Amino acid sequence: DAGVTQSPTHLIKTRGQQVTLRCSPKSGHDTVSWYQQALGQGPQFIFQYYEEEERQRGNFPDRFSGHQFPNYSSELNVNALLLGDSALYLCASSLLDNEQFFGPGTRLTVL
Amino acid sequence: QKEVEQNSGPLSVPEGAIASLNCTYSDRGSQSFFWYRQYSGKSPELIMFIYSNGDKEDGRFTAQLNKASQYVSLLIRDSQPSDSATYLCAVNAHFGNEKLTFGTGTRLTIIP
């Protein structure tokens, strides 16, 4: 049974560019949440998707957007990248209102 | 005041001893509480969750919750070198899992 998968593993971009990160949830899970984890910090909630709708959003600017597909997979898009966007981006999947399980993350470096 | 506070450590514990990790939270309405373990360079791994006041045991791990004091802890008995990691406390305002609010984590080192 595959767990949560994310792609790519690592990514290097320059300021001003746009990036798309992808997540496939654990089999049987229908809810995907995205978190940003800066070095030495705990994960910060970006948003959560359920039934292809954004269910809740954290304190992130509109440059951060997402999508959930009918097969429950999800994308995180970040526009106009800033140096401060460099972080580990974590996807977590769950059955609605149950415990969240994290994928391996995507390490984004913005130069 | 941070929403979820943890001592950043590092916390050093001899092998075989009990490691005690603490977490306080500011939202008195919080309903569900989670402990995640994160090895360096890896993603967080769920260890335990607790919803009710008191203790919850799972193997060598015990989570303790005191909602009146807004305090949750994790005890690791018979600590092993493989327990060396950062432990993240996470809180949710509701039963279930919408937004998880994390502390900054406590770095634990088990000394052989």
Side-chain angles (χ1 to χ4, degrees):
Chain A
D1 178 24
V4 183
T5 60
Q6 292 185 244
S7 63
T9 305
H10 295 89
L11 204 52
I12 298 175
K13 292 285 188 178
T14 57
R15 282 177 295 174
Q17 285 190 311
Q18 178 264 344
V19 68
T20 297
L21 310 182
R22 295 176 175 83
C23 171
S24 291
K26 184 179 171 64
S27 178
H29 285 183
D30 58 8
T31 304
V32 172
S33 303
W34 286 92
Y35 292 82
Q36 179 196 66
Q37 187 176 25
L39 200 61
Q41 301 297 314
Q44 297 289 312
F45 177 78
I46 303 175
F47 41 54
Q48 184 181 81
Y49 277 85
Y50 171 69
E51 291 190 339
E52 303 179 52
E53 297 287 333
E54 185 182 286
R55 184 177 181 224
Q56 193 174 14
R57 187 179 182 93
N59 294 324
F60 279 80
D62 292 344
R63 298 187 297 109
F64 289 78
S65 63
H67 189 78
Q68 185 179 35
F69 299 93
N71 66 354
Y72 307 119
S73 67
S74 177
E75 289 182 350
L76 164 65
N77 301 291
V78 187
N79 295 322
L81 284 167
L82 303 174
L83 295 179
D85 295 331
S86 295
L88 179 67
Y89 287 84
L90 295 162
C91 166
S93 79
S94 61
L95 274 173
L96 184 65
D97 290 344
N98 283 277
E99 297 74 45
Q100 296 184 19
F101 296 89
F102 284 89
T106 294
R107 174 74 62 187
L108 173 64
T109 301
V110 182
L111 302 177
Chain B
Q1 181 187 9
K2 291 183 180 179
E3 294 180 77
V4 179
E5 293 206 49
Q6 297 181 253
N7 187 323
S8 61
L11 175 65
S12 296
V13 173
E15 184 176 355
I18 296 175
S20 178
L21 304 162
N22 305 316
C23 172
T24 58
Y25 58 94
S26 60
D27 183 353
R28 185 169 288 278
S30 298
Q31 298 290 346
S32 50
F33 308 86
F34 306 84
W35 284 100
Y36 285 83
R37 177 176 63 198
Q38 187 172 28
Y39 293 114
S40 180
K42 302 296 185 182
S43 63
E45 172 192 9
L46 180 64
I47 298 175
M48 292 195 70
F49 58 90
I50 185 167
Y51 297 155
S52 303
N53 276 330
D55 295 359
K56 179 182 179 182
E57 186 174 320
D58 183 1
R60 296 187 298 112
F61 299 95
T62 299
Q64 299 174 316
L65 175 61
N66 183 326
K67 288 187 178 180
S69 301
Q70 296 174 239
Y71 176 92
V72 58
S73 65
L74 179 70
L75 301 178
I76 307 175
R77 289 182 300 282
D78 188 23
S79 296
Q80 303 297 310
S82 60
D83 295 326
S84 297
T86 295
Y87 288 80
L88 296 161
C89 171
V91 173
N92 190 300
H94 308 284
F95 288 110
N97 279 269
E98 295 172 344
K99 168 186 173 183
L100 285 179
T101 301
F102 284 83
T104 55
T106 298
R107 187 155 57 94
L108 174 66
T109 300
I110 306 301
I111 304 169

